[in-house]
Amino acid sequence: MADMLVLGIESSCDETGLALYDTGRGLLAHAVHSQVDLHEAYGGVVPELASRDHIRRIVPLLRKVLAVAGTSLETVGAIAYTAGPGLAGALLVGAGFAESLALALKVPALPVHHLEGHLLSPLLSADPPRFPFVALLVSGGHTQLMRVAGVGQYELLGETLDDAAGEAFDKTAKLLGLGYPGGPQLARLAETGQTGRFPLPRPMLHSGDLNFSFSGLKTAVLTQVRNRPPDDSDKADLCAEFQAAIVEVLSAKALAALKATGLKQLVVAGGVGANEALRAGLDAGTQAAGARVFYPELELCTDNGAMIAFAGAQRLTFGSAANQAGSFSVRPRWALGEA
Ligand code: KG4
Ligand code: ZN
């Protein structure tokens, strides 16, 4: 296949991300607008505000990536966009824009599964993993372990039975009165705290399978807070213990997945993959097991257009069908296995 320039568009939640990925030259440009400031006052993402803001940002971001790549729309050979899972209205903005632009440019539009984007994002780094590998997907909505044999070949090994790790971070941060988004704030406070003062459970650490459960951990923090309102130093210690619990469980299960599959490469993807303590835990664990861990570039851990452009490009390379012109839909709920 001749080299092709793929435009990627991500709008599934509270980040508008656009990127240009060239199948020959690699990632040429990517730009993200985060809606953190917009939703902060509400303590969480307000779907209707998210949709409206995607509409405002998408064209300026497109101009920006074209300028950075030093090219024009006419050179775009395909347009990949996040078709799900995510917020319906937010997805529709990206999908509608991508499909119409593709129709106007007479190029294929490629609906991409958001998690597949995350999953493949470490392949964008300078020193990428090779198939097959185990992937630990830790985002705001998902916590999954997968065996990845190739593009489109994903076997679910285990997943959370309730809250995702990122969700647990966000909810726990909220109940401690930390700002939104909670994950990074809780992680920052955890660095100043000490473990060992507040006992918290390590849910399902010894369950013997590769599943997770994090809602009990959040409830355990809530119980501590109700028993005795924490002062600032208590809060830091609670954060440290909470983070340690999450890191311990995620690391243990990721290592167990390597052992179960006999694989020696672990790929970490999704927003929680930006967590420094998790990285330290996984670095140490994989090293001790004679395995290697791969992370996406830090700025590609959270939602972005580059991973969508890349996943779309892979789909093109591996011959998956593009959408019928003029017809498309989004899938707010969508299991990766069905992709
Ligand atoms: O992958 P992502 O950007 O969006 C989804 O697809 O969900 O992940 C967002 C999640 C949020 O729950 C956020 O709090 C969490 O990732 N997160 C973190 C950190 N950075 C982002 N959690 C813990 N520590 C961090 N440094
Ligand atoms: Zn995501």
Side-chain angles (χ1 to χ4, degrees):
M1 196 183 83
D3 287 345
M4 188 184 274
L5 186 62
V6 181
L7 170 66
I9 301 177
E10 155 64 32
S11 72
S12 66
C13 190
D14 57 350
E15 264 112 19
T16 321
L18 275 85
L20 288 166
Y21 175 82
D22 184 279
T23 53
R25 291 183 291 159
L27 186 62
L28 302 185
H30 93 101
V32 175
H33 174 80
S34 164
Q35 301 178 354
V36 163
D37 296 344
L38 180 67
H39 302 294
E40 196 172 13
Y42 306 93
V45 179
V46 183
E48 182 59 24
L49 293 183
S51 310
R52 293 182 200 183
D53 199 58
H54 286 308
I55 294 173
R56 266 193 296 272
R57 306 294 173 182
I58 209 160
V59 171
L61 284 172
L62 173 60
R63 294 216 167 99
K64 186 169 168 185
V65 292
L66 287 170
V68 171
T71 191
S72 63
L73 265 186
E74 289 67 44
T75 63
V76 170
I79 304 179
Y81 64 91
T82 305
L87 302 170
L91 289 167
L92 278 168
V93 175
F97 183 79
E99 290 281 353
S100 346
L101 188 57
L103 201 63
L105 295 174
K106 299 189 176 61
V107 300
L110 308 161
V112 167
H113 194 290
H114 181 81
L115 294 184
E116 182 171 36
H118 276 303
L119 204 66
L120 299 178
S121 60
L123 295 172
L124 275 167
S125 31
D127 176 24
R130 270 189 248 156
F131 298 119
F133 53 74
V134 169
L136 172 66
L137 231 150
V138 272
S139 67
H142 295 82
T143 300
Q144 300 184 327
L145 277 162
M146 312 237 204
R147 184 182 189 281
V148 181
V151 173
Q153 297 172 48
Y154 314 122
E155 182 197 342
L156 186 65
L157 301 172
E159 65 182 332
T160 183
L161 306 178
D162 41 56
D163 291 355
E167 191 177 357
F169 263 100
D170 294 338
K171 287 180 174 172
T172 303
K174 196 167 182 176
L175 75 88
L176 288 173
L178 310 181
Y180 157 89
Q185 304 247 15
L186 193 156
R188 216 166 298 133
L189 195 54
E191 269 172 43
T192 69
Q194 301 217 327
T195 55
R197 250 192 84 209
F198 295 98
L200 291 178
R202 295 335 190 222
M204 292 183 72
L205 186 58
H206 302 294
S207 63
D209 59 18
L210 297 173
N211 291 327
F212 306 88
S213 164
F214 292 114
S215 72
L217 195 48
K218 166 204 69 198
T219 312
V221 175
L222 183 62
T223 307
Q224 301 274 4
V225 169
R226 286 215 175 119
N227 284 346
R228 199 165 60 94
D231 62 20
D232 284 352
S233 110
D234 294 338
K235 276 189 189 176
D237 294 346
L238 272 167
C239 288
E241 192 68 37
F242 171 86
Q243 180 171 268
I246 296 240
V247 168
E248 202 176 318
V249 176
L250 288 176
S251 306
K253 300 265 171 164
L255 290 173
L258 286 175
K259 202 165 175 195
T261 54
L263 297 177
K264 291 286 178 197
Q265 296 176 102
L266 175 69
V267 157
V268 184
V272 184
N275 186 275
E276 295 289 347
L278 178 62
R279 289 185 171 216
L282 291 172
D283 287 348
T286 46
Q287 199 176 5
R292 262 196 78 186
V293 57
F294 298 79
Y295 306 99
E297 304 292 331
L298 206 52
E299 58 178 30
L300 300 186
C301 270
T302 46
D303 292 348
N304 64 83
M307 66 184 194
I308 302 304
F310 182 74
Q314 299 309 302
R315 292 249 142 194
L316 267 185
T317 311
F318 289 89
S320 110
N323 253 6
Q324 202 77 11
S327 133
F328 70 95
S329 61
V330 295
R331 300 182 65 175
R333 294 176 160 275
W334 187 10
L336 184 52
E338 301 162 19

